[in-house]
Amino acid sequence: MRINNIPYLLKEGIRGLFAHGLQSASAWAVTVFSLLITGAFVCLAFNINVMIDDLNKTNEVVVYVQDTLTDAEAKSIGTQISNIPNVQNRTFVTREQALKEFIEKNGDKDAFAGVEASDLRHRYVVTLEDNHMIHETVKQLEAIQGVDKVSAAFELAEGFSTIKDIVVAASLFIAAVLLFVTFIIIFNTVRLATHERKEEIAIMKMVGATNGFIRCPFVVEGMTLGLTGAMAALGAEWVLYDAAVKKLQEMDTLKMLHFVPFKELLVMLAAIFAAAGLFVGIVGGWVSIRKFLKV
């Protein structure tokens, strides 16, 4: 295919959109709707991941230091804890701080009047980067010389991780189904156009036109449907996301939840929408004409 043929082929592809206005509009609308729902699940999954990561930070591992160690020796263990790859942060808590926090938490000073700071042990409060690795990290913490024991809420950490995995898997599955539906719609739209022009295609084949030359307008048609649908879906997603977040944050019960601003999702969603729109459009246009090229 020569370069000087490209303007003609592009023009023919655009003309095909208007020649089959109703079918093209239907395919475009389905593309926008499918990408809009796909984007909604991507936004939901992203926000839930952020919220779960925030919750993970509250799921702390407590490392108790042996009571035979001096204050200096207890503090020196902190460096070894920080060197463990999965440790995000560690905070040293002295015996005195631990007693004070314990009394404040329980709110009854008289009940603990006989408890001395020396009865407690120095400790480290540790937060992890990835709770999937909590078992391995706890074993590494226990292996540090001078550590007496490690207390970790394994079930809570695993629960957070399970929820995160389920949300991601469900979102990917729903997105895949919606993209497949979009592909079928565009495929059928372009296929209808090729069916109406099958005699023209046959003539072009007989006069020596290559398959690529014949395919190009239909691929342009599908690509245009997919790309413009992706752009419209991205704009609608932005408007609806901001409106939904604003509404949710007005609810007293949901004010504590942190929603990511759409601008932080923009690049990711733009890439997903553009790739998905182009893929279903180009592949749909390419595959739909295959049958009519067998002349």
Side-chain angles (χ1 to χ4, degrees):
M1 183 175 62
R2 292 177 299 184
I3 295 178
N4 58 358
N5 287 331
I6 293 177
Y8 165 77
L9 297 173
L10 292 175
K11 183 182 72 174
E12 286 297 301
I14 301 298
R15 185 180 69 83
L17 290 173
F18 296 98
H20 310 91
L22 182 60
Q23 291 85 359
S24 297
S26 299
W28 185 86
V30 170
T31 301
V32 173
F33 183 72
S34 297
L35 290 176
L36 196 59
I37 297 177
T38 301
F41 276 96
V42 170
C43 292
L44 177 64
F46 191 91
N47 276 284
I48 289 177
N49 282 338
V50 170
M51 293 175 190
I52 290 175
D53 286 340
D54 289 341
L55 287 173
N56 280 338
K57 295 174 184 177
T58 66
N59 182 29
E60 299 167 333
V61 175
V62 181
V63 180
Y64 294 96
V65 179
Q66 293 176 358
D67 54 10
T68 56
L69 269 61
T70 64
D71 292 353
E73 290 172 333
K75 290 179 180 178
S76 67
I77 292 177
T79 302
Q80 298 180 64
I81 293 175
S82 297
N83 288 335
I84 295 175
N86 193 38
V87 172
Q88 184 180 63
N89 187 35
R90 51 90 179 169
T91 302
F92 180 64
V93 180
T94 64
R95 296 184 178 96
E96 292 74 20
Q97 288 175 306
L99 179 60
K100 181 179 177 182
E101 291 174 3
F102 188 74
I103 293 174
E104 289 177 352
K105 182 178 179 180
N106 289 275
D108 188 357
K109 295 182 179 180
D110 295 334
F112 303 97
V115 179
E116 299 292 336
S118 58
D119 297 327
L120 304 178
R121 286 169 292 177
H122 295 306
R123 66 200 63 186
Y124 285 89
V125 178
V126 179
T127 55
L128 308 182
E129 292 181 359
D130 184 2
N131 274 357
H132 280 97
M133 300 172 60
I134 188 169
H135 289 280
E136 296 87 340
T137 306
V138 167
K139 288 180 181 178
Q140 290 175 300
L141 291 169
E142 290 173 337
I144 296 175
Q145 187 174 1
V147 170
D148 184 47
K149 72 172 184 176
V150 179
S151 176
F154 292 110
E155 293 182 0
L156 185 61
E158 290 168 355
F160 288 153
S161 298
T162 300
I163 292 172
K164 185 175 181 178
D165 293 342
I166 291 173
V167 170
V168 171
S171 299
L172 290 175
F173 174 76
I174 292 171
V177 171
L178 290 170
L179 290 178
F180 178 74
V181 171
T182 304
F183 169 80
I184 294 298
I185 296 296
I186 292 180
F187 172 87
N188 287 330
T189 299
V190 179
R191 189 180 180 87
L192 180 62
T194 57
H195 182 76
E196 293 180 359
R197 296 174 61 185
K198 61 182 180 180
E199 293 183 1
E200 179 185 342
I201 293 171
I203 293 172
M204 293 174 71
K205 284 286 291 182
M206 286 188 287
V207 298
T210 64
N211 287 347
F213 183 89
I214 297 171
R215 264 194 173 114
C216 190
F218 297 100
V219 171
V220 169
E221 184 177 343
M223 181 180 67
T224 305
L225 283 172
L227 191 56
T228 56
M231 293 171 61
L234 183 63
E237 193 79 55
W238 194 336
V239 173
L240 293 174
Y241 180 89
D242 284 347
V245 169
K246 182 179 179 181
K247 191 70 176 177
L248 290 172
Q249 289 180 333
E250 290 175 355
M251 300 180 182
D252 293 334
T253 54
L254 298 178
K255 282 183 177 179
M256 65 183 71
L257 297 180
H258 170 68
F259 293 95
V260 178
F262 190 84
K263 289 183 179 179
E264 293 185 21
L265 301 168
L266 182 59
V267 174
M268 177 183 68
L269 284 178
I272 292 173
F273 281 19
L278 286 173
F279 175 79
V280 297
I282 292 173
V283 175
W286 184 271
V287 174
S288 62
I289 196 175
R290 183 176 55 185
K291 174 183 175 181
F292 298 96
L293 293 176
K294 297 178 182 179
V295 178

